[in-house]
Amino acid sequence: MKILFLGEASSLAIAQGLMHLGHEVDCPGSANKKLLQVPEACDVVIVAEDVGARLLPPGLEKEWLSAVPCLWMGGKPPLASPGHAMPIPLSASSTVETLQAILALLKVSAQQAQRNALLTKQVDHLRVAVDGEHRQARRMLEQFVHNETLSDPAIQSWTRPADIFSGDLLLAARTPAGALHIMLVDDMQKGTLAAVSTLPVVAPFYRMTEKGFGIDAIVREANSRIFRFYPEGCPVHATLVSVDFADGVIHVWNGGTPAPILLSRQHNESAEATPHAPLGSLPPAAFHVETDVWTFRDKEMLALGSGGLLRQLAPGADRAGALQAFRGWLEGYGNLQHALPEAPSMQSGGGLIARDDMSLIVVSCHRDQTSRQDRERAVEGASSVGQWKLSLSVGPDEMRSVDVVPLMLSAIAQFEAVKDMGGVLFVVLSELYNNALDHGVLGLDSSLKLGEQGMETYLDERAKRLAGLVSAQIELSLVLEQGPEGAGVVIVCRDSGKGFDYSDILNRTPSAKDDEPLPYGRGLSLVLSMARRVEFNTQGNQLRVELSLC
Amino acid sequence: MQTTVITTDARAVIKLEGRFDFNSHREFRECVDGVLQQGAIREVVVDLGGVDYLDSSALGMLLMLRDKARGCNKEVSLSNCRGAVKQVLDIANFGKLFAIS
């Protein structure tokens, strides 16, 4: 070790002894000169009693002694041990051997200190990197979460983010029929993990809402996505609601976040949602979606609060207590029609800073008959392209004997507005009718078509089941409609079958772009690429396809 | 749907007329099997000029033909595609899978 030895003639023997043991010893004190600078280039300072503090630069003693470990031989050190310095009193009789043992210990602790300093530095670096990631994750999510959709006139909302992103997400969008879908995601993860784990639910929410799926289908899809992406388990706590203003119906699915509350105007009655397991917690086959269905008359209020908000309102309360506090807090703000309450202070009673995001979304549930009137008016407006509706309903006998699609097509060809759409209409009608018949009514599975003789097997099975069919119905209708994107043809096909999980089928449908497609499953993707809108009903036994007039 | 096969040297043209949909499956398959059995034929052309409409199972049948033809080293192409037929083939991106004229 490098030793700075401050002592005079009587103790120099010790310095020499240390030198013999291989230490590098500097003895400036023997020349009786003052040291002016803090010694940085040595590992340890040894001060011998006979020199005392005389050699230490006046006014700098403290800095001097705290810079490196200092061994004070004999007597008392002149200062209380400052900072991390270790002034160790030694008796005058200390031998070189004792010193050697102490030096060895010092060496170990110096190495330890060095390692600690390095670790601290690395942790600081990591913290900076992680903070940067959090900011980036939040920015990314904000891109995903089209904030403008929250400007929907029926919604008031705020989010109070915590220091680190902690997984609160508010999403809102309207279905083509005008129903409002809201999703509140309240993830238990923190930071980047929260941001990443919520991603698989954002895209299906918007995509499926746009296509007119019900929230039950969206919940099912979100669950299987999260389950597929994070099989080790990374459940996402979320609540989805759908508000149909025309019919006054609310569907609620509550999975792990505080239950949404529906408050009537007088606040004398309220409904609470049934809790379910969070998204991604069960394999798709074991995950059954049941929504609560509420009705509202008028001017009622639906409120969703995140876990962070409820914990802030009622620290330490259980589920029931927190909901009670939430309801009380909401009621305290009157009917909330105009002003949303302020976020509760981040400073809770105990003086703790909230580490969670806090989010609140409030929907004014007004009955709105105009959306229905709009739809009716749209049909009237279609007179410029004609005004007709064609519908056909067939039972088992007709399914066996009538060539339904060509029959409809030949009728359609008489109408001016759609006479050039034969190719597209044929594909859509035959796809809808054949799917309804083969899969909806006859319950055939397309995977029968696989293999060399697959198609034959499938057609034989189809003929057999069709021959034995006793009761069934398929309704096919075409109508011209004036939508926001201009005139269009709306084709609706409904069958008496038990219905399908269409979100599942859409996922399996091979893309038309695949180089090596399966011998089946192309139909629905064809329809999707031709239509400007495709909607399924919740049961999955009715498809509504909207095509632009060409 | 009606099928006609015209063979010249190593080339067979399968001419289809009418509505090409899943009802045509057996007919199309028998016709294809007959053509592919002939070892001398190296090229199969499906002439869709007389087809009014085709649906997704017709697309499946064309893919089946392509796979079988590959298995015995024959080329498949689609010809005379227009109107409703062309529209459907374009949407299904069949240009990537077949030579189309």
Side-chain angles (χ1 to χ4, degrees):
Chain A
M1 285 177 95
K2 281 180 88 171
I3 299 169
L4 181 64
F5 194 92
L6 305 180
E8 293 200 300
S10 60
S11 51
L12 283 179
I14 299 175
Q16 278 167 354
L18 290 170
M19 263 188 247
H20 282 304
L21 286 170
H23 296 289
E24 199 181 313
V25 183
D26 187 16
C27 292
S30 57
N32 203 14
K33 61 186 177 210
K34 289 263 181 189
L35 295 163
L36 295 175
Q37 282 170 348
V38 176
E40 281 171 18
C42 66
D43 300 315
V44 61
V45 178
I46 299 177
V47 183
E49 187 188 28
D50 54 351
V51 175
R54 275 186 295 115
L55 285 171
L56 299 178
L60 282 174
E61 292 94 341
K62 207 168 173 179
E63 287 84 345
W64 222 87
L65 291 178
S66 61
V68 283
C70 181
L71 304 182
W72 200 271
M73 300 209 309
K76 273 183 159 184
L79 298 159
S81 50
H84 72 273
M86 294 175 281
I88 300 168
L90 291 173
S91 71
S93 62
S94 290
T95 58
V96 174
E97 284 72 27
T98 329
L99 270 175
Q100 172 66 3
I102 292 171
L103 287 172
L105 274 176
L106 276 175
K107 195 169 178 177
V108 171
S109 83
Q111 284 166 346
Q112 192 63 44
Q114 207 171 1
R115 269 199 295 272
N116 285 348
L118 197 67
L119 272 176
T120 312
K121 208 168 154 186
Q122 283 171 343
V123 166
D124 284 345
H125 271 299
L126 273 175
R127 189 170 296 136
V128 169
V130 165
D131 284 350
E133 269 178 35
H134 286 156
R135 276 193 297 277
Q136 197 140 7
R138 185 182 279 283
R139 265 200 303 277
M140 250 167 66
L141 270 173
E142 280 164 359
Q143 294 286 324
F144 261 97
V145 180
H146 321 205
N147 271 322
E148 71 271 19
T149 58
L150 288 173
S151 63
D152 194 293
I155 298 178
Q156 286 183 285
S157 69
W158 52 248
T159 294
R160 177 76 151 271
D163 302 346
I164 321 175
F165 178 75
S166 68
D168 271 16
L169 270 183
L170 282 180
L171 316 178
R174 295 262 185 168
T175 67
L180 174 67
H181 282 184
I182 294 171
M183 177 156 70
L184 171 64
V185 181
D186 182 359
D187 203 357
M188 300 321 254
Q189 312 292 341
K190 295 269 178 270
T192 316
L193 192 51
V196 170
S197 66
T198 51
L199 282 181
V201 302
V202 176
F205 174 80
Y206 286 116
R207 184 170 51 80
M208 293 175 76
T209 299
E210 199 175 287
K211 292 205 163 100
F213 283 93
I215 56 165
D216 49 350
I218 300 176
V219 166
R220 216 173 286 126
E221 170 68 5
N223 178 70
S224 49
R225 274 185 158 233
I226 297 168
F227 194 82
R228 199 164 62 230
F229 288 164
Y230 310 111
E232 278 88 41
C234 185
V236 173
H237 297 240
T239 288
L240 277 92
V241 298
S242 147
V243 184
D244 184 331
F245 297 94
D247 295 336
V249 176
I250 299 175
H251 287 264
V252 179
W253 185 87
N254 175 227
T257 72
I261 296 180
L262 179 68
L263 286 172
S264 71
R265 192 164 25 160
Q266 291 76 29
H267 300 149
N268 50 11
E269 35 180 305
S270 61
E272 266 174 33
T274 320
H276 299 283
L279 297 171
S281 57
L282 289 169
F287 189 80
H288 300 293
V289 183
E290 276 173 30
T291 57
D292 290 304
V293 184
W294 301 338
T295 55
F296 61 91
R297 286 184 297 279
D298 205 0
K299 293 189 182 129
E300 276 157 79
M301 183 182 93
L302 178 68
L304 286 85
S306 70
L309 173 65
L310 270 74
R311 275 190 291 281
Q312 194 71 15
L313 291 170
D318 61 2
R319 182 186 155 88
L323 275 177
Q324 189 60 43
F326 183 41
R327 185 183 299 120
W329 182 71
L330 289 168
E331 285 167 358
Y333 284 93
N335 66 8
L336 290 182
Q337 298 295 341
H338 303 294
L340 205 63
E342 286 293 304
S345 162
M346 296 296 269
Q347 211 77 28
S348 78
L352 293 164
I353 299 293
R355 302 292 292 166
D356 273 337
D357 289 357
M358 293 194 288
S359 303
L360 173 68
I361 189 158
V362 170
V363 185
S364 304
C365 300
H366 285 276
R367 288 299 293 277
D368 177 13
Q369 301 297 341
T370 53
S371 53
R372 171 159 301 148
Q373 285 160 5
D374 278 351
R375 272 185 258 169
E376 284 161 10
R377 212 174 299 128
V379 179
E380 288 164 22
S383 56
S384 59
V385 287
Q387 209 175 349
W388 49 268
K389 179 176 178 171
L390 191 67
S391 64
L392 185 66
S393 175
V394 291
D397 285 339
E398 294 72 32
M399 291 175 200
R400 282 186 279 267
S401 61
V402 177
D403 225 352
V404 170
V405 175
L407 176 69
M408 278 204 92
L409 213 58
S410 61
I412 292 163
Q414 308 291 313
F415 295 98
E416 187 63 24
V418 294
K419 68 173 173 32
D420 295 329
M421 294 177 70
V424 170
L425 287 176
F426 179 75
V427 170
V428 175
L429 282 172
S430 58
E431 207 54 52
L432 264 52
Y433 180 78
N434 289 329
N435 278 345
L437 179 60
D438 289 15
H439 310 309
V441 170
L442 300 177
L444 289 161
D445 189 335
S446 288
S447 58
L448 279 177
K449 293 180 188 170
L450 288 172
E452 174 67 9
Q453 292 299 317
M455 199 64 199
E456 262 75 11
T457 315
Y458 181 87
L459 289 173
D460 288 346
E461 186 61 31
R462 182 181 190 277
K464 204 173 88 191
R465 293 196 192 181
L466 188 57
L469 192 62
V470 179
S471 103
Q473 195 180 30
I474 298 176
E475 291 167 47
L476 205 52
S477 75
L478 262 101
V479 67
L480 277 185
E481 270 194 28
Q482 196 72 38
E485 305 105 315
V489 191
V490 175
I491 303 165
V492 177
C493 183
R494 185 185 181 89
D495 64 68
S496 55
K498 60 179 167 51
F500 286 92
D501 181 355
Y502 272 100
S503 59
D504 196 35
I505 288 175
L506 281 181
N507 281 336
R508 276 191 290 134
T509 300
S511 154
K513 294 179 183 68
D514 284 355
D515 283 342
E516 292 298 332
L518 288 170
Y520 63 89
R522 216 166 298 98
L524 205 50
S525 51
L526 265 183
V527 172
L528 286 172
S529 52
M530 289 170 166
R532 70 179 180 198
R533 193 167 292 153
V534 176
E535 290 175 37
F536 306 91
N537 68 344
T538 313
Q539 199 190 328
N541 66 341
Q542 178 180 303
L543 248 132
R544 182 182 183 278
V545 176
E546 204 176 307
L547 302 165
S548 294
L549 279 189
C550 55
Chain B
M1 188 181 72
Q2 284 196 336
T3 56
T4 322
V5 181
I6 304 156
T7 312
T8 39
D9 303 327
R11 187 166 189 259
V13 178
I14 303 177
K15 195 166 165 49
L16 307 180
E17 277 168 294
R19 186 168 280 127
F20 188 12
D21 61 12
F22 81 97
N23 290 309
S24 332
H25 181 79
R26 264 171 243 268
E27 194 174 356
F28 183 75
R29 188 184 170 125
E30 278 162 19
C31 171
V32 160
D33 288 348
V35 168
L36 294 180
Q37 269 168 19
Q38 301 172 41
I41 290 173
R42 301 260 54 92
E43 189 192 351
V44 181
V45 180
V46 183
D47 183 345
L48 295 165
V51 172
D52 308 321
Y53 302 110
L54 54 83
D55 72 353
S56 66
S57 40
L59 299 180
M61 288 182 251
L62 291 174
L63 288 175
M64 173 194 78
L65 164 61
R66 174 172 169 267
D67 289 347
K68 285 187 173 179
R70 269 189 179 177
C72 43
N73 280 322
K74 301 185 203 307
E75 291 290 322
V76 177
S77 63
L78 310 179
S79 76
N80 283 325
C81 307
R82 47 199 159 71
V85 171
K86 179 98 172 53
Q87 203 174 19
V88 175
L89 293 175
D90 284 348
I91 292 169
N93 233 333
F94 264 42
K96 273 191 172 175
L97 306 172
F98 291 93
I100 295 182
S101 59

